[in-house]
Amino acid sequence: MRRALTLAALLTGLGAVPSGGASPAQGLELRLSYGGAVARGQISLGRADALTGVWSSVGRARLLRCAPRCVTVKDLPFNGLLALSESAGYRVALGGEFRAGQRVALTLRFRSGEVLNLSARVAR
C-alpha cells in the first residue's frame, strides 16, 4: 500500500494526467504512411509548452518541423494548442508496421515535465 501511495504521489508531482479527467489530446489518431504512421489531431494544454518526446510500443517517434522540408527537431513548441497532421508545420512520425483499426498506446512528454499516456487508433 505504501509503495502504491508513493508511486501515485510521484506521478502527481511529475504532472501525469489522471485517467479520470478529460484528455488534452482528444481525437488524436495515427494515419498510415510509408513505413509507419503520422499522428493527426490536436493537443491542448491551455498554456505555452513544448512536446519533447513521444514513445509507443514500437519505440520513440520522430518530432518533425516541416517548413518547407521536414527536419527532425528536439521539441515542438506551442502556445496552448499544437495541431499535428500530414499537412501541418509540425508532425510526429512513428516507424513500424501498423494495421488500420489497431490501437496504439502513446506516451507524450512535455518540457514542463508533464507526461500524457493515451491510446490512438490507426486510420487509413
Side-chain angles (χ1 to χ4, degrees):
M1 180 70 171
R2 184 176 179 183
R3 186 176 275 176
L5 290 174
T6 304
L7 180 59
L10 178 62
L11 289 176
T12 303
L14 290 176
V17 175
S19 59
S23 174
Q26 290 181 353
L28 191 67
E29 67 179 10
L30 299 174
R31 304 286 282 176
L32 290 175
S33 181
Y34 296 104
V38 176
R40 181 176 184 184
Q42 294 183 348
I43 300 170
S44 174
L45 291 182
R47 66 181 185 287
D49 207 341
L51 182 64
T52 59
V54 177
W55 291 266
S56 73
S57 58
V58 296
R60 185 173 182 167
R62 291 185 185 249
L63 305 177
L64 305 171
R65 180 176 43 86
C66 300
R69 293 188 175 169
C70 292
V71 295
T72 303
V73 294
K74 292 182 181 182
D75 59 10
L76 302 179
F78 61 96
N79 199 7
L81 181 69
L82 175 62
L84 301 169
S85 74
E86 304 88 356
S87 60
Y90 293 127
R91 299 179 194 174
V92 173
L94 287 91
E97 293 188 26
F98 300 96
R99 297 178 317 276
Q102 177 183 358
R103 300 289 276 169
V104 178
L106 298 174
T107 300
L108 286 68
R109 180 145 198 246
F110 300 92
R111 183 178 293 144
S112 65
E114 186 170 351
V115 176
L116 175 64
N117 293 309
L118 56 98
S119 178
R121 186 179 59 83
V122 178
R124 290 194 165 201

